[in-house]
Amino acid sequence: MALLLAVGGATWRCSGRLPARHFSRAARRGERPGGEELSRLLLDDLAPTPRSAGGLELLFGLSPCLLALRAARRRVARLLLQAGRSGLQGERAELLRVAEARDIPVLRPRRQKLDALCRFQVHQGVCMEVSPLKPRPCTEVGEARPGDDPQQLWLVLERLQDPRNLGAVLRSAHFLGVDKVITSGRHSCPLTPVVSKASAGALEVMDVFSTDDLAGFLQAKAREGWLVAGTVGCPGPEMSPSSGIPTTSCLDFLWDRPTLLVLGNEGSGLSPAVQASCQLALTVLPGRRLPPGLGSLNVSVAAGILLHSICSQRKGFPAEGKREHLLQDPGEPSATSEGPGVAQHPGLASGSEQERQNGS
């Protein structure tokens, strides 16, 4: 005899074997079984978003929100600052000042509300309801002829699908001075808030372009005199010798003309059509013999290594002899100069230089 149990708006039918679950009408309408408390948890102290503000997304994290406000490329519906903090200082105070100056509504929900709204992403007590960012069409990339600057570097991303990988790649590209970023229009990760958070907000100040014909775009740039450099893992079957495309270590690459660096999908790498459009393949050589399955790097890690090896050849890039001067704490006398020290880069911990000296 079957036994019916009603639990939290759902009906379970037990017939001596595995239970079969039948949701109530409320559950089938999209409401959570017994979810009124959860609904109140999400919406408590937060006024409903106006219906005219549809299509918004929730940007989270201090740097993405602050840089989005500064760049003013997104429409901002509301700023959510975590309640309970004893006074807002520094960048959070700047967020509040900019929002008030632009008449952006500011709400102060508790942390539990922000956690739920962000689906437990690391929000640092700051969220904003904003319009989404979309890649610009490749037709707007602008004219850039090889003769204008021989050291132009564009980063081309084919079918990157992990938002954290894409964000990390964009962060490295912005930091190291990449001029343009081009993505494939199909099978690529959209520019989501997760991408912005993983990029530490770099997405908010970068122009990302997109094209549906990536191979055609690369071939057109090659005819204009650009070098199209693909990327591979350890030399192997990914780019066979029969393809006629030479493979070289990124450390041996000479950057003497405008270059497009092409990175492929996390799992399959470059597609055959894009691979055939490359004139050269760059690789990062390992420091030891690797077992099967470990012959490649995460795409964001590889991007950082490849970009640094190329951009370090740029004129004006910090040279080895200038490194001590650039990393010196402000106010400390220079070991090689009588003048004041240069402010430390904000991405470095204050004790990093002392630790480096102790380690040496």
Side-chain angles (χ1 to χ4, degrees), residues 25-345:
R25 293 179 181 176
R28 289 195 295 270
R29 288 197 303 267
E31 301 173 11
R32 294 190 180 191
E36 293 183 4
E37 290 295 326
L38 290 176
S39 298
R40 283 197 292 270
L41 177 66
L42 292 177
L43 301 177
D44 185 28
D45 297 332
L46 297 178
T49 302
R51 186 177 298 274
S52 60
L56 299 178
E57 60 187 17
L58 195 68
L59 191 66
F60 57 91
L62 181 57
S63 290
C65 291
L66 182 57
L67 289 170
L69 275 182
R70 289 174 178 171
R73 299 196 301 176
R74 296 180 185 259
R75 179 169 58 90
V76 181
R78 298 190 295 185
L79 170 64
L80 312 178
L81 290 174
Q82 180 179 322
R85 293 182 178 271
S86 55
L88 297 175
Q89 299 177 350
E91 293 178 329
R92 288 179 175 81
E94 181 182 349
L95 271 171
L96 186 58
R97 287 195 302 270
V98 175
E100 291 176 344
R102 291 169 53 182
D103 295 325
I104 298 171
V106 179
L107 290 85
R108 300 299 303 275
R110 297 188 297 272
R111 175 169 182 170
Q112 292 86 344
K113 313 299 188 299
L114 289 180
D115 288 343
L117 285 171
C118 292
R119 299 182 181 180
F120 299 93
Q121 303 277 4
V122 180
H123 53 72
Q124 300 172 291
V126 181
C127 299
M128 287 198 316
E129 290 178 346
V130 296
S131 60
L133 282 181
K134 295 183 179 180
R136 296 171 57 185
C138 214
T139 53
E140 299 178 6
V141 76
E143 291 293 331
R145 301 187 181 280
D148 298 339
D149 180 6
Q151 288 193 321
Q152 297 179 69
L153 180 62
W154 293 10
L155 180 63
V156 181
L157 307 174
E158 186 193 19
R159 300 178 301 158
L160 257 66
Q161 297 177 343
D162 187 315
R164 290 176 176 82
N165 277 340
L166 177 56
V169 169
L170 293 178
R171 182 177 186 178
S172 296
H174 184 68
F175 183 88
L176 292 168
V178 168
D179 298 297
K180 307 281 186 183
V181 177
I182 317 292
T183 66
S184 56
R186 298 187 182 93
H187 309 296
S188 289
C189 174
L191 305 181
T192 65
V194 176
V195 174
S196 186
K197 183 65 168 67
S199 75
L203 172 63
E204 305 301 323
V205 298
M206 297 180 71
D207 284 325
V208 179
F209 300 88
S210 178
T211 176
D212 288 333
D213 183 12
L214 194 57
F217 170 79
L218 296 176
Q219 293 163 12
K221 300 305 288 184
R223 289 192 295 270
E224 294 175 10
W226 289 65
L227 174 66
V228 181
T231 52
V232 294
C234 293
E238 299 169 353
M239 194 160 293
S240 60
S242 61
S243 65
I245 301 174
T247 300
T248 184
S249 166
C250 62
L251 299 178
D252 298 327
F253 173 71
L254 178 61
W255 186 25
D256 57 359
R257 59 170 163 151
T259 299
L260 296 108
L261 181 67
V262 191
L263 278 74
N265 173 266
E266 292 93 338
S268 57
L270 299 177
S271 67
V274 168
Q275 178 181 315
S277 304
C278 296
Q279 302 156 298
L280 176 72
L282 296 182
T283 188
V284 179
L285 294 178
R288 57 158 54 106
R289 295 181 63 88
L290 298 174
L294 290 178
S296 64
L297 291 167
N298 172 274
V299 65
S300 63
V301 175
I305 296 173
L306 291 162
L307 289 175
H308 186 270
S309 69
I310 297 173
C311 293
S312 60
Q313 303 177 44
R314 190 191 299 270
K315 295 177 182 178
F317 195 87
E320 188 74 24
K322 300 179 182 178
R323 205 168 293 166
E324 296 289 336
H325 185 57
L326 291 173
L327 296 181
Q328 186 175 345
D329 288 333
E332 288 187 3
S334 172
T336 59
S337 172
E338 297 292 333
V342 176
Q344 185 182 19
H345 191 280

